[in-house]
Amino acid sequence: EDELIVAEIMKRRFFPAAITHKTWEGFHFAGHEIRITEATDSYGAVVWPSALVLCYFLETNSEHCNLVDKNVIEIGAGTGLVSIVASLLGARVTATDLPELLGNLQHNVLKNTKLKCKHQPCAKELSWGIDLEKNFPSSSCHFDYIMAADVVYHHPFLDELLLTFDHLCKNDTIILWAMKFRLDRENQFVGRFQTLFDLEVIFNFPSLNITLYKAMRKGRMK
């Protein structure tokens, strides 16, 4: 079953038939052809398999995860694929990442959603753990879903990442998090995450070392 679903997910990706001056990949999700401009000089400027896993779940589980008119924030949005798919499925989306990735993120989001979505998504700067209350005030920012794909890897900002999840998550917020398991230090983040949140495994793909989790604040999971 793992290999069959993984094969189905990877079939959603296609590549340009000819070499172009811009590096891009194409994807089929939510009834649309999505073209993502990439760069090879940054981890955040390429599409990783965890994003495809999350997009596949969003598209194929609308009866359990209806995004129409829901407020969604994606952290570590990178190229914007997950945010684009959530927007095409009817959500009000805020795609966030570091300032140096914001230009490409805005380009991809606008190119693939303009005049196609019920709510036009926006791209906003978010450096994990920095100025969270200033930029995302607790009193006025309420998100139904927090989405994250492959945000845990070899970087020194795991404390800030956990702080960001904690700040953005209200009692009824659902976190959808696709995790690629790599090194022990990064994998231990799951245990730290569980000090604040209850976790439920939605998909598990051993062939990709990827698990898709649903999470809520402790005691709030139905």
Side-chain angles (χ1 to χ4, degrees):
E1 184 180 2
D2 168 30
E3 293 179 355
L4 288 174
I5 298 177
V6 167
E8 172 62 28
I9 292 172
M10 294 307 165
K11 278 166 53 179
R12 304 302 185 92
R13 168 185 265 162
F14 66 93
F15 299 94
I19 297 175
T20 62
H21 69 285
K22 284 188 176 182
T23 304
W24 65 271
E25 287 186 74
F27 304 88
H28 292 288
F29 286 109
H32 291 269
E33 180 181 293
I34 301 167
R35 293 195 177 193
I36 297 293
T37 301
E38 298 182 314
T40 58
D41 58 350
S42 170
Y43 288 132
V46 296
V47 177
W48 299 97
S50 294
L52 274 67
V53 168
L54 182 47
C55 289
Y56 179 82
F57 171 78
L58 296 178
E59 181 190 68
T60 58
N61 289 271
S62 58
E63 69 277 11
H64 301 299
C65 181
N66 185 352
L67 295 182
V68 177
D69 297 331
K70 297 297 193 299
N71 291 319
V72 172
I73 185 169
E74 184 186 4
I75 62 175
T79 60
L81 179 62
V82 172
S83 290
I84 291 164
V85 172
S87 298
L88 293 170
L89 292 171
R92 297 184 181 92
V93 177
T94 303
T96 70
D97 215 312
L98 296 169
E100 59 266 30
L101 296 172
L102 213 56
N104 189 54
L105 175 59
Q106 289 173 324
H107 168 76
N108 284 327
V109 168
L110 180 61
K111 180 177 66 174
N112 289 287
T113 62
K114 189 175 182 180
L115 303 179
K116 298 177 183 178
C117 298
K118 185 175 183 181
H119 309 286
Q120 184 60 41
C122 67
K124 187 172 180 179
E125 177 184 338
L126 171 55
S127 299
W128 297 337
I130 298 176
D131 292 332
L132 294 175
E133 183 59 31
K134 176 184 176 182
N135 296 323
F136 299 89
S138 299
S139 59
S140 58
C141 288
H142 182 282
F143 297 105
D144 300 295
Y145 290 91
I146 300 170
M147 298 187 185
D150 220 351
V151 292
V152 178
Y153 52 90
H154 184 59
H155 62 71
F157 304 109
L158 294 178
D159 291 340
E160 291 82 356
L161 174 60
L162 188 59
L163 183 64
T164 301
F165 274 122
D166 186 36
H167 178 80
L168 295 174
C169 188
K170 301 292 192 291
N171 284 339
D172 58 348
T173 301
I174 295 172
I175 298 171
L176 295 174
W177 167 32
M179 165 76 174
K180 169 81 170 181
F181 286 84
R182 294 184 175 89
L183 304 174
D184 285 345
R185 179 178 176 272
E186 286 74 43
N187 298 347
Q188 290 169 7
F189 181 82
V190 176
R192 296 176 58 196
F193 186 86
Q194 288 179 289
T195 63
L196 298 176
F197 304 99
D198 289 326
L199 276 180
E200 173 188 337
V201 175
I202 299 175
F203 279 153
N204 187 37
F205 299 116
S207 63
L208 296 174
N209 287 332
I210 291 174
T211 299
L212 176 60
Y213 293 108
K214 172 184 175 182
M216 295 186 75
R217 284 204 173 276
K218 278 197 166 294
R220 304 296 298 187
M221 189 88 78
K222 294 181 180 178

